[in-house]
Amino acid sequence: MKNKILVLLILSVSLTLNAQKKLQLEDCRQMALTHNKSLEIEQETVRAANQLKQAAFTQFLPNISAVGSYTWNEKSISLLSEDALLPVGTKMSDGSFGFTADQVSNQWTVVNESPVPLDANGAPFNPKTNPEKILWKNYALLPKEAMEFDIHNVFVGGINFVQPIFMGGKIAEMYKISKYNEQLAKAKMDDKTSEILVEVDEAYWRVVSLENKVALATQYRGLIQKLDSNMTAMVDEGVATKADALKIKVKLNEAETSLFKAENGLDLSRMALNQICGIPLDDRTELADQELNSEPEMTKLIPVEEALTLRPEIKELTQAENIAKSSEKITLSRFLPNIVLTGNYLVSNPNSYNGYENKFGGMFSFGVVAQVPITHFGERIHTLNAAKSAQKIANLKLEEAKEKMELQINQNTHRVAESYKKQISANRNIEQAEENMYYATEGFKSGVITSSDLLAAQTAWLSAKSEYIDATIDVKLCNLYLQKALGTLVEPANGH
């Protein structure tokens, strides 16, 4: 009794594990998206583009910075090389510096009824044009030490800001480009997601196809084995020749070889699917659609114009065109003036705000800086023309892509319709082949049909069943390709 319970528990656990491993197509898709490193790279690219967009927005704001420095100097600064003597004169009625006769030692004479001083040689001179000939009686002493400034320890610090006022529109366009780059990164991620889904769907349906073909090859081998057994008995009874038996043996060997190839192909295809989904390669997971009983969902058709707006490739090219337009505007902004508001607070020790004393002192200052381009000998004009050409190239690429994708949508729509027709025709062929094989089998049993005819009927049945499997898989793949062409295979990145 205990042994029976243990066996039942083991079977229950085994069945539970098998049930857990039975994967739907959507499960494989999600695992593939989670496992794929290329998609992770695209996701990080989107995050990086978002950060660059936020960085570009900061260019609208003031740039504030602080600076500080300390310098030790060996010597002080002296404005005089030695003590200086300054003449003592008089402030004249007109406010100018002058002198009276008793303040100088020069002799005087009268020229044109006006007193004129004489130099040391007794020659008259104009004191305004030749002040060095004046012989002053009194001088004021200006010591050298009074004009020395201690700069052995110099501290300088400041806070400043620069606020753009008008930059020709380049900051706004740079911000737009950063937004376009973010949308471009999202479109590329959608494109990569679409590629991964197509890859995993192809691998999934390849495994389903080969599983069915392995089952079909096994069934066909069983038919040949049964026929071989019957033929051996007939040879023993003398109602058939060894040549007939050898024909069956050859067919049986072919069936064995076909089964081996199908099984080998199934193992390799399963490994490929496991690798895409991030499952251990030797894991023999069961697929929910391996019986091929589910009817394929008809892809909902949408207008071509709407489909083009959903295609990630069109989104990429649209953003590339937008970037080219903004780049042209940035190039045009180089012809316009740049105006910024500046301001700072500067503090220093020693400071020159109060007699160059060794104390900290500072002041605020504000200003407007304008830079106006005059000429660069045509360099900016040529650059602008190149930017216009780049924008036109981006537009032409977009238009060309739209034309090709419209053709692709129409082609895939026709292929879907054709695949359904092939599936219906293949299903009819199976019915006819099964009926033909039934009558051939009954006729062989009755002795009215040869083994060669029965083999031909069985081969035709095998071919019909194989074609039906291919046609059914083709229907699913054609619908997949049509969804990709319509842009409905992947939800937009904003919805992720």
Side-chain angles (χ1 to χ4, degrees):
M1 184 66 181
K2 292 182 178 179
N3 291 335
K4 290 183 178 179
I5 294 175
L6 182 60
V7 170
L8 289 174
L9 287 174
I10 293 173
L11 289 174
S12 176
V13 172
S14 177
L15 291 173
T16 302
L17 291 175
N18 288 335
Q20 290 176 345
K21 287 186 175 182
K22 201 164 189 177
L23 297 177
Q24 302 281 348
L25 175 59
E26 189 60 32
D27 298 331
C28 293
R29 285 182 170 186
Q30 293 303 320
M31 286 190 292
L33 293 177
T34 304
H35 173 70
N36 191 271
K37 295 296 184 291
S38 297
L39 187 60
E40 289 185 23
I41 293 173
E42 296 298 337
Q43 291 169 345
E44 288 301 323
T45 303
V46 172
R47 294 189 186 96
N50 178 264
Q51 293 299 311
L52 291 175
K53 181 186 72 173
Q54 296 184 46
F57 179 77
T58 63
Q59 298 302 309
F60 292 102
L61 307 176
N63 185 358
I64 302 174
S65 60
V67 63
S69 70
Y70 165 76
T71 304
W72 178 85
N73 297 296
E74 178 186 1
K75 297 180 179 181
S76 297
I77 294 178
S78 179
L79 300 183
L80 298 177
S81 60
E82 56 186 13
D83 294 342
L85 296 175
L86 299 179
V88 178
T90 300
K91 182 179 180 181
M92 309 305 288
S93 59
D94 60 358
S96 62
F97 176 77
F99 58 87
T100 59
D102 59 342
Q103 292 177 319
V104 298
S105 299
N106 298 82
Q107 298 296 319
W108 294 79
T109 188
V110 176
V111 178
N112 297 329
E113 300 181 355
S114 296
V116 177
L118 301 175
D119 60 13
N121 298 321
F125 69 94
N126 188 343
K128 292 184 177 181
T129 57
N130 299 101
E132 72 280 359
K133 295 183 178 182
I134 299 175
L135 302 176
W136 297 92
K137 289 183 178 180
N138 300 312
Y139 289 88
L141 175 64
L142 182 61
K144 175 184 176 183
E145 293 80 8
M147 300 302 292
E148 286 187 356
F149 305 102
D150 181 10
I151 62 167
H152 289 296
N153 298 286
V154 178
F155 301 88
V156 178
I159 298 176
N160 60 76
F161 77 90
V162 177
Q163 171 63 56
I165 298 177
F166 179 75
M167 303 298 288
K170 61 170 64 71
I171 294 180
E173 293 305 323
M174 288 295 293
Y175 180 63
K176 288 181 181 179
I177 287 177
S178 67
K179 292 197 294 184
Y180 298 147
N181 278 324
E182 183 182 21
Q183 295 300 321
L184 178 61
K186 289 179 179 179
K188 287 184 176 180
M189 186 172 71
D190 288 341
D191 194 14
K192 175 57 67 175
T193 302
S194 178
E195 291 178 3
I196 294 170
L197 292 182
V198 169
E199 184 181 4
V200 71
D201 279 29
E202 288 175 341
Y204 181 92
W205 292 117
R206 190 183 303 115
V207 171
V208 171
S209 174
L210 288 169
E211 284 179 340
N212 281 269
K213 289 190 175 181
V214 166
L216 179 61
T218 302
Q219 190 177 358
Y220 177 69
R221 183 187 63 176
L223 293 174
I224 302 299
Q225 285 176 337
K226 184 177 180 181
L227 180 58
D228 178 61
S229 178
N230 292 336
M231 185 59 67
T232 301
M234 292 172 67
V235 170
D236 292 340
E237 293 174 4
V239 295
T241 64
K242 288 186 177 181
D244 294 330
L246 287 174
K247 289 180 182 179
I248 305 302
K249 293 290 185 184
V250 171
K251 274 294 181 183
L252 181 59
N253 289 335
E254 291 177 356
E256 293 281 0
T257 302
S258 297
L259 178 59
F260 173 76
K261 289 181 178 180
E263 290 175 338
N264 189 47
L266 175 60
D267 289 339
L268 295 175
S269 297
R270 185 179 284 115
M271 288 181 186
L273 177 61
N274 289 353
Q275 188 276 326
I276 295 172
C277 297
I279 302 173
L281 296 182
D282 56 350
D283 197 344
R284 296 179 63 84
T285 53
E286 293 185 14
L287 304 182
D289 297 293
Q290 63 185 10
E291 300 298 332
L292 274 182
N293 293 327
S294 62
E295 291 293 329
E297 295 183 4
M298 288 286 292
T299 300
K300 182 180 178 181
L301 295 177
I302 59 176
V304 174
E305 294 77 11
E306 181 181 351
L308 292 178
T309 61
L310 296 176
R311 287 290 293 268
E313 299 93 332
I314 293 297
K315 293 179 182 178
E316 291 179 38
L317 292 171
T318 300
Q319 300 308 324
E321 183 185 27
N322 290 335
I323 291 172
K325 289 179 180 178
S326 291
S327 297
E328 180 183 348
K329 292 180 181 178
I330 290 175
T331 306
L332 182 62
S333 71
R334 298 175 66 201
F335 292 89
L336 304 177
N338 295 333
I339 303 174
V340 298
L341 173 66
T342 64
N344 62 72
Y345 177 76
L346 181 65
V347 61
S348 66
N349 182 3
N351 70 82
S352 57
Y353 309 120
N354 189 23
Y356 208 83
E357 59 183 349
N358 287 332
K359 294 181 180 180
F360 282 98
M363 69 171 183
F364 290 97
S365 64
F366 297 93
V368 177
V369 178
Q371 181 183 18
V372 181
I374 297 177
T375 179
H376 286 79
F377 302 99
E379 178 266 336
R380 297 185 180 184
I381 294 177
H382 296 312
T383 306
L384 177 61
N385 291 335
K388 289 180 178 179
S389 296
Q391 192 273 331
K392 187 174 182 180
I393 290 171
N395 179 261
L396 291 173
K397 287 183 177 180
L398 177 60
E399 295 301 322
E400 182 184 29
K402 287 182 178 180
E403 293 176 359
K404 290 182 177 179
M405 289 179 187
E406 183 176 356
L407 175 62
Q408 187 184 57
I409 291 171
N410 291 325
Q411 288 175 335
N412 281 283
T413 302
H414 288 293
R415 285 170 183 164
V416 168
E418 185 181 353
S419 68
Y420 278 111
K421 291 179 181 178
K422 286 183 179 179
Q423 186 187 35
I424 294 172
S425 177
N427 192 35
R428 290 174 182 170
N429 290 339
I430 288 178
E431 295 174 358
Q432 295 173 357
E434 288 179 343
E435 184 178 5
N436 181 44
M437 189 173 67
Y438 171 77
Y439 286 117
T441 302
E442 294 299 320
F444 179 73
K445 290 179 181 179
S446 303
V448 296
I449 289 181
T450 64
S451 60
S452 297
D453 293 333
L454 179 56
L455 284 174
Q458 290 174 340
T459 302
W461 171 83
L462 175 67
S463 177
K465 293 282 284 186
S466 181
E467 287 177 0
Y468 177 76
I469 294 172
D470 291 338
T472 304
I473 298 297
D474 191 50
V475 167
K476 296 181 181 295
L477 292 179
C478 285
N479 276 280
L480 170 70
Y481 300 143
L482 179 57
Q483 289 177 15
K484 185 177 185 298
L486 292 173
T488 57
L489 184 60
V490 181
E491 291 293 330
N494 291 332
H496 285 181

